[in-house]
Amino acid sequence: MILKEISNEEMLMNYLLLLVSIGFEVLGTSLLKKTDGFTNLLPTVGTLMSYFICLFVLSHVLKRLPLSLTYATWGSVGLILVTIAGIVFYHETLSIYSIAGLFLVVSGTVLINVF
């Protein structure tokens, strides 16, 4: 499929939808820890619904943006936000190596989006 040129407003809307998808992915992943192996009903339902909405919205974003750019952004921003959620809600810690890895992921995503 060849992607058509889109206006700045459409591009902004696509990135906003991508952020919505990322938000639901982060919510689903954060709730996943609370499911206790899918034995707790409410976190399980929340996780499944969040992933469904995330992938539904992401599928619509992919109609208009390239797969590599979309997935790199979705994955790296999601990783950063899930890491922050782990620190805030689950009191997880980061090592210097984790921070370096996150920096490399973000750097790679910036390269993909710029070039």
Side-chain angles (χ1 to χ4, degrees), residues 8-72:
N8 287 340
E9 293 83 19
E10 289 175 306
M11 185 68 76
L12 178 61
M13 181 57 72
N14 290 328
Y15 276 102
L16 288 174
L17 286 173
L18 181 56
L19 286 175
V20 168
S21 177
I22 292 167
F24 278 102
E25 185 267 334
V26 170
L27 177 62
T29 301
S30 298
L31 285 173
L32 190 58
K33 189 164 180 141
K34 294 279 189 189
T35 67
D36 196 28
F38 294 113
T39 59
N40 289 333
L41 182 62
L42 288 179
T44 296
V45 170
T47 296
L48 295 175
M49 290 299 298
S50 294
Y51 281 140
F52 176 81
I53 294 167
C54 160
L55 294 173
F56 179 80
V57 173
L58 187 64
S59 72
H60 287 282
V61 172
L62 287 169
K63 290 179 182 179
R64 294 168 194 88
L65 294 178
L67 175 62
S68 61
L69 180 143
T70 302
Y71 188 72

Side-chain angles (χ1 to χ4, degrees), residues 25-27 29-30 77-87 92:
E25 185 267 334
V26 170
L27 177 62
T29 301
S30 298
V77 173
L79 175 65
I80 298 296
L81 293 176
V82 166
T83 300
I84 292 169
I87 292 167
E92 297 174 353

